[in-house]
């Protein structure tokens, strides 16, 4: 099978998410990394791309140059990953899709609901694959949880509780550090801070495991460090279309919590728990029965959990391999196969609608607000 040709926008040297994409895309031999506009500083971007093995004529100074020059090539890249800061995602994703490239966009996909809906339309019209990097959904034991819920193993889901709370912005004396400050500045981050950054991962996870969609929500936002204009802590109650009750806490001032992303699903006949810091285990308790640990790689796990696990039982299989699973499914989708579970532009648009709903609700003392994008109402 010929390899797909892959390029990146953003993800330059020292970036947080760039390495996970490079490890993920190259884990299974499905892609050749041939082009990139990796940095907002053209010279640094070109130099770093070449150090990573990209030919000088495809190590671009900016994404506009990459778009124009790749479009003109017979051997143009198949897939472009957009791993730049949030405010640039919409324009880059839209223009690459319109030019006929497949795109994997980092979350949040856009800054507004209207832009989210526009990407849904552009992706559909382009006939290209567009995915959003909700990579936690690609951990094997998250797929196990989803499969168990779908198979009715915990009965009808009553309640889903999810947290994505860390303490890495909890030091008030570091609040003015530019790497931290922009996240709480509306001019840079948009309408929401912590909820748009981490809360949407948790909300996507709830929808993903329950195979259901968020319909309405009520939010309480707090800026616990007073100099911050946007929230650094949020509590969100939500309701899903199928009647499931949802609770979500997201925070960046929860000192002592490190990654802090976990989800619990409570059904009529059992409960499940998964945490990103112990991703190989899914905790399952049947009603009236003993709590069990379902281990990644053991016999009897779902087809999806088995398919997405590549290292032997009990070996750590972490974040970059979850990202790799997104790339595996993307390659399959690009080749025309259907892959259930690949996060879609619709997911990206739903997240944005939830962000705006949460902001509106928080301003209205927690009033319940419709959290669906208008196009899905
Ligand atoms: P970062 O600030 O660490 O890195 C951003 C990189 O993009 C830098 O190398 C910068 O030079 C480059 N860049 C900026 N503007 C550019 C432009 N116009 N053209 C080309 N390159 C440009 O940011 P990060 O933490 O890596 O986050 C990047 C994106 O990834 C964000 O949208 C963030 O929300 C997302 N993210 C997702 C996850 C996840 O779990 N899916 C985790 C972390 C970050």
């Amino acid at each position: 099978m010929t390899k797909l040709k892959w390029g990146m926008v953003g993800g330059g040297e020292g970036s947080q998410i760039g390495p996970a994409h490079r490890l993920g895309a190259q884990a299974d031999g499905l892609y050749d990394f041939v082009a990139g506009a990796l940095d907002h500083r053209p010279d640094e971007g070109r130099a770093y791309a070449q150090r990573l093995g990209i030919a000088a004529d495809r190590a671009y100074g900016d994404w506009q140059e990459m778009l124009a020059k790749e479009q003109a090539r017979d051997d143009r890249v198949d897939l472009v990953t957009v791993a730049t800061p949030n405010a640039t995602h919409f324009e880059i994703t839209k223009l690459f899709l319109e030019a006929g490239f497949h795109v994997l966009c980092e979350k949040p996909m856009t800054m507004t609901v209207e832009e989210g809906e526009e990407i849904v339309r552009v992706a559909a019209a382009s006939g290209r694959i567009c995915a959003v990097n909700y990579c936690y959904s690609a951990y094997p034991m998250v797929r196990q949880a989803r499969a168990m819920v779908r198979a009715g193993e915990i009965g009808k889901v009553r309640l889903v509780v999810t947290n994505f709370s860390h303490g890495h912005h909890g030091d008030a004396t570091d609040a003015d550090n530019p790497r931290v400050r922009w996240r709480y500045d509306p001019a840079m981050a948009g309408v929401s801070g912590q909820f748009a950054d981490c809360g949407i991962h948790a909300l996507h996870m709830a929808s993903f495991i329950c195979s259901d969609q968020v319909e309405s929500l009520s939010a309480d936002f707090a800026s616990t460090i007073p100099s911050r204009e946007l929230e650094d802590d949020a509590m969100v109650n939500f309701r899903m279309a199928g009647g499931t009750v949802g609770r979500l806490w997201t925070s960046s001032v929860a000192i002592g919590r490190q990654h802090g992303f976990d989800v619990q699903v409570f059904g009529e006949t059992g409960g499940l728990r998964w945490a990103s810091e112990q991703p190989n285990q899914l905790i399952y308790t049947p009603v009236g029965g003993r709590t069990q640990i379902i281990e990644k790689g053991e016999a009897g796990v779902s087809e999806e959990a088995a398919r997405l696990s590549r290292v032997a039982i009990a070996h750590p299989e972490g974040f970059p391999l979850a990202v790799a699973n997104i790339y595996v499914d993307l390659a399959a989708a690009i080749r025309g196969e259907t892959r259930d579970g690949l996060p879609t532009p619709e997911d990206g648009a739903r997240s944005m609608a939830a962000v705006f709903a949460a902001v509106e609700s928080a301003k209205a003392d927690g009033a319940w607000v419709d959290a669906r994008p208008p196009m899905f109402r």
Side-chain angles (χ1 to χ4, degrees), residues 59-74:
Y60 300 110
D62 57 53
W63 64 265
Q64 291 90 341
E65 182 193 3
M66 176 168 161
L67 177 61
K69 292 198 173 152
E70 285 297 315
Q71 235 179 324
R73 297 181 72 103
D74 292 334

Side-chain angles (χ1 to χ4, degrees), residues 10 12 15-17 37 39-40 83-86 89 106-107 133 201:
S15 66
Q16 190 186 162
I17 199 67
D39 204 291
H40 65 288
T84 49
N86 304 354
H89 293 174
E106 262 306 340
K107 48 56 59 178
N133 195 34
H201 270 303

Side-chain angles (χ1 to χ4, degrees), residues 146-164:
R146 185 189 210 215
M148 289 177 73
V149 170
R150 284 186 163 182
E153 291 186 46
I154 61 166
K156 182 171 165 41
V157 176
R158 291 173 173 146
L159 187 62
V160 57
V161 180
T162 180
N163 302 303
F164 196 161

